[in-house]
Amino acid sequence: MERSAGDRTASALFAGFRALGLFSNDIPHVVRFSALKRRFCVTTCVGKSFHTYDVQKLSLVAVSNSLPQDICCMAADGRLVFAAYGNVFSAFARNKEVVHTFKGHKAEIHLLQPFGDHVISVDTDGILIIWHIYSEEEYLQLSFDKSVFKISAILHPSTYLNKILLGSEQGSLQLWNVKSNKLLYTFAGWKVGVTALQQAPAVDVVAVGLMSGQIIIHNIKFDETLMKFRQDWGPITSISFRTDGHPVMAAGSPCGHIGLWDLEDKKLINQMRNAHSTAIAGLTFLHREPLLVTNGADNALRIWIFDGPTGEGRLLRFRMGHSAPLTKIRYYGQNGQQILSASQDGTLQSFSTIHEKFNKSLGHGLINKKRVKRKGLQNTMSVRLPPITKFAAEEARESDWDGIIACHQGKLSCSTWNYQRSTIGAYFLKPKELKKDDITATAVDITSCGNFAVIGLSSGTVDVYNMQSGIHRGSFGKDQAHKGSVRGVAVDGLNQLTITTGSEGVLKFWNFKNKVLIHSVSLDSSPNMMLLHRDSGILGLALDDFSITVLDIETRKIVREFSGHQGQINDMAFSPDGRWLISASMDCSIRTWDLPSGWSNISLYSVVSLRPLPTDYVPSVVMLPGTCQTQDVELLEETTEPSDEMIEYDSPEQLNEQLVTLSLLPESRWKNLLNLDVIKKKNKPKEPPKVPKSAPFFIPTVPGLVPRYAAPEQNSDPQQSKVVNLGILAQKSDFCLKLEEALVNNKYEAALNLLKELGPSGIETELRSLSPDCGGSVEVMKSFLKMIRMMLDKKRDFELAQAYLALFLKLHLKMLPSEPVLLEEMTKLSSQLEENWIHLQSLFNQSMCVLNYIKSALL
């Protein structure tokens, strides 16, 4: 089920909840000191919004509201955070909501610099604008020729009032007084582009990072170079100085290394290699603390502490997500609170759907973990396992032994992992004797008890291993289970069946214990992947022709076939109750297949049309969920807008003329009609109620000089008659009149509708008044019996017809045999009642037999 194309930009069933595992990108972070909480905060960009973390525990403090486009640069002062997107930038208060927006640039903004009550922005066309923050007005605009001086860095030197220092890609620097709009001085530079500017702890001294990897410590007051350093890792990406009494400077590089330089001895004292797997986007030493904050495009935020004797930094705290595309994700456990994910970066991580503090990384897989520990290798890149391509997890025995089995890209052996210890496990599972060297593991599964792992190989072999001991426990088939590569393996919930499928297009069912083949099914196309829903016994197969086949493993027959994807199906998932199958494809679409329906989505809370989609249906593009809650609310509002697909179904009063239809009246209207005399007797009061004398709203007074209240009027007519006027009762009711009209036109709907509106007492009064003794007539009674026959004939309001007829017989049973007209009508009605009841009774008996059989039979 997907949303039709058009102006709707959201799914008809699912709404974005939140994005997990986003911590940083290639935009440099911003460090601020919170005067209210007396601690440092670090802000990182995550696309269209930014996160603010408390440095002390690196806990998430706030998530900003989402911006229309991705953030391209950030800056901050003590009160506001500035974020630019495109040619516009906004100021955020309380790390969350936008309070100011600045528009005026025509090109993309790439530099921001807070400047007291002003903020400076620079775009890629060389336009520099100084804005007044609170009025959002331009204070000054400067234009630079990109071919001569293209601004690449900006800095406000300490104690330099109203002055900014600009660095260029051409290598020169300029010092400007922005108040007087004057160029004060031009520094010739070093004929290499400037990439970073940073104020040194000493006044008038600035560190200049260059494209060549050089770092120049320069005195801008006298235009003198104090010292030079050089890193061989490429351009300098960022610079920071320690301010806790140690003359140390840190410089970042594009390859993820950080160089630590001693400013007194003018030498390199340490290298932090592979601090990040990508370029160092930003690094900042906290003021007067031995802590270094770094972030990079590898989706990691790290805090390093310098407490060692040699001045090296060790990792203190971090928040890390995947730095490369994911290869597989699965929920871990049954509560839906943890998601295991494998990535091309080689890591296996767990993300919490509740809170980020429950996230954890199981790390990189190592080929020989003991050797790394024994030799103390710092660079583990050479001994890391390739990325995980498939994995299976089971939490049943996670406290006893490893509960995760994974196969790696291009590797034969499968690794085990321990979720509780958050590390790679003790075994690498692979067969001992192999004829070929190019065989790899292609499919894995773990039994629901957590004791056995089933591994399929590209050679067609399927092996079983014990998870506790790592011992090989047998193989399926004599030489191999399949002629082609194994594309999927699965074990049912009771360890009775093992299902395997191969690239030759055959699905096989095996006995798990004795490894004997039970049944084979030929598929229309080669399978791509396989997924089993153990609770319902439903097996989903994604084929290479982009179709999906669903089988029942009990009957071993194909029960559903779906087609519609225009690309290879990458993954599938069943809903918890097994009624929905969701598939993701390389055609950038996610489709929900009804088996037939269920799950927690919008269909539980609003009307959603579930009409089948045509084969040529083109789904609309939806926005991915972010970490911003406001965005989620807006998306939900878009999703619930009225749609032409949402057609409400109006149920007719009667589905079919052959079906017995009940009325919609509550039981209190008809169920107790025969027991009204008992109910009235039971509810009769012991003594008549005493009505309190009501006081007038305005108490009357007697006119006079002295105000006095008037005495209440007494009843002065003791001879007032208490006899009820019987003339009123002599009039016929509307119900009787409608019955008389129905004798002529044979239309009883109006009379029946009048009776439906009455309560039990009113119905008894109307039926009692039908007799000649109470103002009625024999003809009216005959008309009532005809109305009951009409109700039984149309099979509508069935329970009302029975109740009304029962009350009529109770009230008039003595006089009915004495009237031939009524007796004849009663005979016809009796035969009709018997016919209807025999039909219903046979259906009841048949249903009871089926229920009794299901309850007692041994299935």
Side-chain angles (χ1 to χ4, degrees):
M1 176 63 203
E2 293 166 299
R3 195 75 170 228
S4 64
D7 57 351
R8 290 177 294 277
T9 59
S11 169
L13 293 178
F14 301 103
F17 175 53
R18 59 177 298 203
L20 301 177
L22 290 178
F23 299 99
S24 173
N25 59 9
D26 59 338
I27 304 300
H29 66 264
V30 176
V31 173
R32 304 169 61 206
F33 181 75
S34 175
L36 180 63
K37 296 183 179 180
R38 307 296 299 175
R39 62 182 60 174
F40 287 98
C41 294
V42 57
T43 299
T44 60
C45 176
V46 287
K48 297 181 181 179
S49 60
F50 58 82
H51 291 180
T52 301
Y53 296 90
D54 181 5
V55 172
Q56 186 173 0
K57 295 184 179 180
L58 215 56
S59 57
L60 185 63
V61 175
V63 178
S64 73
N65 293 337
S66 181
L67 293 172
Q69 302 176 31
D70 287 342
I71 296 173
C72 52
C73 65
M74 287 196 310
D77 58 15
R79 296 161 296 179
L80 301 172
V81 177
F82 302 93
Y85 56 97
N87 57 357
V88 180
F89 73 99
S90 299
F92 290 78
R94 293 175 292 277
N95 300 311
K96 189 172 182 63
E97 61 259 7
V98 176
V99 292
H100 302 290
T101 301
F102 305 88
K103 299 179 180 179
H105 285 282
K106 295 182 180 179
E108 181 177 312
I109 300 171
H110 71 108
L111 292 174
L112 289 173
Q113 175 65 50
F115 198 71
D117 290 337
H118 298 76
V119 60
I120 303 172
S121 59
V122 182
D123 63 22
T124 54
D125 284 345
I127 304 298
L128 183 149
I129 302 178
I130 302 176
W131 308 80
H132 191 277
I133 294 177
Y134 299 103
S135 65
E136 302 178 10
E137 296 178 351
E138 288 188 19
Y139 173 78
L140 178 66
Q141 183 175 134
L142 300 176
S143 180
F144 295 84
D145 187 356
K146 294 191 297 182
S147 61
V148 178
F149 191 89
K150 185 175 182 180
I151 302 174
S152 58
I154 184 171
L155 173 69
H156 171 48
S158 180
T159 71
Y160 279 56
L161 187 64
N162 301 325
K163 298 174 182 65
I164 58 172
L165 181 66
L166 303 176
S168 68
E169 292 185 359
Q170 288 76 14
S172 61
L173 292 87
Q174 294 182 3
L175 184 66
W176 282 78
N177 187 318
V178 294
K179 185 174 183 180
S180 60
N181 190 14
K182 290 183 179 180
L183 174 61
L184 302 180
Y185 192 81
T186 300
F187 302 88
W190 298 267
K191 298 181 181 180
V192 182
V194 177
T195 58
L197 292 173
Q198 182 62 38
Q199 175 69 50
V203 180
D204 302 326
V205 179
V206 171
V208 182
L210 303 179
M211 287 288 294
S212 61
Q214 282 187 311
I215 306 167
I216 310 297
I217 307 300
H218 197 75
N219 189 309
I220 60 174
K221 184 176 182 179
F222 300 105
D223 192 8
E224 292 181 355
T225 298
L226 304 180
M227 58 189 79
K228 292 183 180 181
F229 305 103
R230 183 181 183 87
Q231 295 183 173
D232 297 330
W233 302 322
I236 303 299
T237 58
S238 53
I239 303 173
S240 185
F241 292 89
R242 287 184 68 173
T243 55
D244 61 338
H246 296 267
V248 175
M249 176 187 68
S253 65
C255 56
H257 305 329
I258 298 175
L260 299 174
W261 301 87
D262 191 317
L263 300 178
E264 286 186 352
D265 297 337
K266 301 181 181 180
K267 66 178 183 179
L268 180 70
I269 59 172
N270 217 312
Q271 300 179 23
M272 299 171 59
R273 289 185 172 268
N274 300 310
H276 289 268
S277 59
T278 59
I280 304 295
L283 54 84
T284 307
F285 276 107
L286 298 186
H287 185 60
R288 295 183 178 178
E289 292 189 25
L291 299 177
L292 176 66
V293 181
T294 64
N295 79 296
D298 58 350
N299 194 19
L301 173 65
R302 294 184 170 96
I303 297 180
W304 311 80
I305 185 169
F306 292 81
D307 55 358
T310 58
E312 74 277 4
R314 64 177 178 88
L315 187 61
L316 180 64
R317 286 180 288 270
F318 67 93
R319 288 286 182 267
M320 181 181 70
H322 288 296
S323 60
L326 304 185
T327 56
K328 192 177 184 66
I329 59 172
R330 282 293 181 268
Y331 276 104
Y332 183 76
Q334 301 297 323
N335 55 14
Q337 296 181 359
Q338 296 290 338
I339 295 178
L340 275 177
S341 64
S343 169
Q344 291 181 6
D345 61 9
T347 62
L348 181 65
Q349 300 192 34
S350 173
F351 295 100
S352 171
T353 59
I354 305 300
H355 196 276
E356 287 185 348
K357 66 181 180 181
F358 301 115
N359 293 356
K360 62 180 181 179
S361 174
L362 280 70
H364 285 271
L366 300 178
I367 297 176
N368 194 328
K369 188 176 179 181
K370 293 182 179 179
R371 176 173 171 267
V372 172
K373 283 188 175 182
R374 184 172 61 252
K375 294 191 175 182
L377 296 178
Q378 296 294 327
N379 186 6
T380 60
M381 297 294 292
S382 59
V383 294
R384 286 181 177 178
L385 287 170
I388 295 173
T389 56
K390 303 286 179 61
F391 69 83
E394 181 58 53
E395 62 174 354
R397 304 301 294 270
E398 66 175 1
S399 59
D400 300 323
W401 52 74
D402 300 338
I404 303 173
I405 179 74
C407 57
H408 299 262
Q409 181 179 345
K411 294 286 290 184
L412 171 63
S413 59
C414 292
S415 59
T416 62
W417 299 73
N418 192 291
Y419 185 83
Q420 281 195 345
R421 296 200 305 267
S422 303
T423 182
I424 193 170
Y427 304 110
F428 287 93
L429 307 180
K430 64 177 181 178
K432 293 182 179 180
E433 297 180 359
L434 285 178
K435 297 179 181 179
K436 298 181 180 179
D437 297 331
D438 57 348
I439 299 175
T440 61
T442 55
V444 292
D445 194 21
I446 187 170
T447 58
S448 58
C449 62
N451 292 317
F452 300 98
V454 182
I455 302 175
L457 305 180
S458 58
S459 61
T461 305
V462 179
D463 300 305
V464 180
Y465 297 86
N466 186 282
M467 289 293 292
Q468 181 181 9
S469 61
I471 299 175
H472 185 265
R473 293 299 187 187
S475 302
F476 294 93
K478 294 182 179 180
D479 297 327
Q480 56 186 18
H482 291 273
K483 296 181 180 179
S485 174
V486 178
R487 297 289 179 85
V489 293
V491 183
D492 68 344
L494 300 176
N495 291 3
Q496 299 293 320
L497 280 178
T498 301
I499 305 103
T500 63
T501 184
S503 59
E504 76 277 9
V506 178
L507 180 71
K508 295 185 178 181
F509 295 83
W510 309 81
N511 186 292
F512 180 79
K513 294 182 179 179
N514 57 27
K515 313 297 186 296
V516 176
L517 180 64
I518 300 174
H519 185 71
S520 296
V521 177
S522 296
L523 303 173
D524 296 336
S525 178
S526 177
N528 177 42
M529 66 166 299
M530 184 174 69
L531 180 66
L532 174 65
H533 188 265
R534 285 174 173 167
D535 294 340
S536 63
I538 297 297
L539 184 73
L541 281 164
L543 306 182
D544 284 344
D545 61 358
F546 313 148
S547 65
I548 297 175
T549 299
V550 181
L551 293 92
D552 183 359
I553 65 172
E554 295 294 333
T555 61
R556 305 183 185 97
K557 293 182 179 180
I558 296 177
V559 294
R560 294 287 187 276
E561 289 183 345
F562 301 115
S563 61
H565 280 297
Q566 303 300 318
Q568 177 182 319
I569 298 172
N570 294 330
D571 206 354
M572 298 187 297
F574 280 101
S575 61
D577 57 6
R579 292 177 176 268
W580 285 37
L581 177 63
I582 298 94
S583 59
S585 169
M586 292 186 70
D587 60 8
C588 300
S589 68
I590 297 176
R591 296 176 183 251
T592 302
W593 311 97
D594 188 37
L595 298 177
S597 71
W599 214 16
S600 176
N601 49 49
I602 297 175
S603 64
L604 294 180
Y605 313 108
S606 61
V607 179
V608 177
S609 173
L610 294 178
R611 290 179 290 179
L613 298 173
T615 56
D616 57 347
Y617 175 78
V618 179
S620 59
V621 179
V622 300
M623 182 181 296
L624 291 175
T627 54
C628 175
Q629 295 181 357
T630 306
Q631 179 187 5
D632 298 341
V633 173
E634 292 176 355
L635 183 60
L636 183 59
E637 292 176 355
E638 291 180 6
T639 308
T640 55
E641 287 182 356
S643 168
D644 55 352
E645 288 188 1
M646 297 183 180
I647 303 173
E648 294 188 7
Y649 175 73
D650 295 329
S651 178
E653 294 184 3
Q654 189 174 19
L655 298 178
N656 191 284
E657 295 181 357
Q658 303 299 322
L659 297 177
V660 171
T661 307
L662 305 180
S663 69
L664 298 178
L665 294 180
E667 291 184 352
S668 59
R669 294 283 191 92
W670 54 269
K671 193 172 183 179
N672 297 318
L673 287 177
L674 295 179
N675 303 320
L676 281 178
D677 50 350
V678 178
I679 295 174
K680 289 180 178 179
K681 185 177 180 180
K682 186 181 296 184
N683 295 337
K684 184 178 181 181
K686 296 180 180 179
E687 59 181 13
K690 297 179 180 179
V691 181
K693 189 177 296 184
S694 59
F697 187 79
F698 295 100
I699 302 178
T701 57
V702 178
L705 296 176
V706 180
R708 290 184 296 110
Y709 292 111
E713 296 182 1
Q714 303 292 332
N715 187 4
S716 59
D717 188 8
Q719 303 298 327
Q720 184 177 358
S721 175
K722 295 184 180 180
V723 178
V724 179
N725 185 7
L726 295 178
I728 301 175
L729 296 179
Q731 296 179 357
K732 293 183 178 180
S733 65
D734 292 339
F735 178 64
C736 289
L737 295 176
K738 294 296 182 183
L739 287 178
E740 291 179 350
E741 293 177 3
L743 284 173
V744 180
N745 55 24
N746 202 27
K747 294 180 180 180
Y748 293 94
E749 286 79 7
L752 179 60
N753 291 334
L754 286 175
L755 211 57
K756 285 182 179 181
E757 296 175 358
L758 300 176
S761 299
I763 295 173
E764 184 193 31
T765 303
E766 290 291 352
L767 297 190
R768 192 182 296 274
S769 65
L770 296 180
S771 65
D773 298 337
C774 297
S777 63
V778 175
E779 296 298 324
V780 174
M781 297 177 71
K782 177 182 177 181
S783 180
F784 176 82
L785 294 176
K786 284 188 174 184
M787 182 187 74
I788 300 298
R789 284 183 57 194
M790 179 271 298
M791 296 170 67
L792 295 176
D793 185 50
K794 292 186 176 181
K795 294 183 173 59
R796 291 176 56 180
D797 303 321
F798 192 78
E799 81 281 19
L800 295 184
Q802 304 293 330
Y804 294 163
L805 180 60
L807 180 59
F808 180 82
L809 294 177
K810 177 182 177 181
L811 296 176
H812 308 296
L813 187 60
K814 293 183 179 179
M815 69 161 295
L816 288 176
S818 61
E819 297 292 339
V821 177
L822 299 179
L823 190 60
E824 180 184 357
E825 196 67 32
M826 287 291 297
T827 304
K828 297 178 182 178
L829 186 57
S830 176
S831 61
Q832 190 173 2
L833 273 172
E834 186 177 3
E835 180 183 352
N836 287 345
W837 176 246
I838 291 174
H839 176 65
L840 284 177
Q841 192 174 28
S842 63
L843 295 177
F844 291 153
N845 292 336
Q846 182 180 359
S847 301
M848 291 298 295
C849 289
V850 173
L851 288 175
N852 289 332
Y853 172 75
I854 293 175
K855 289 168 63 177
S856 60
L858 297 176
L859 297 178

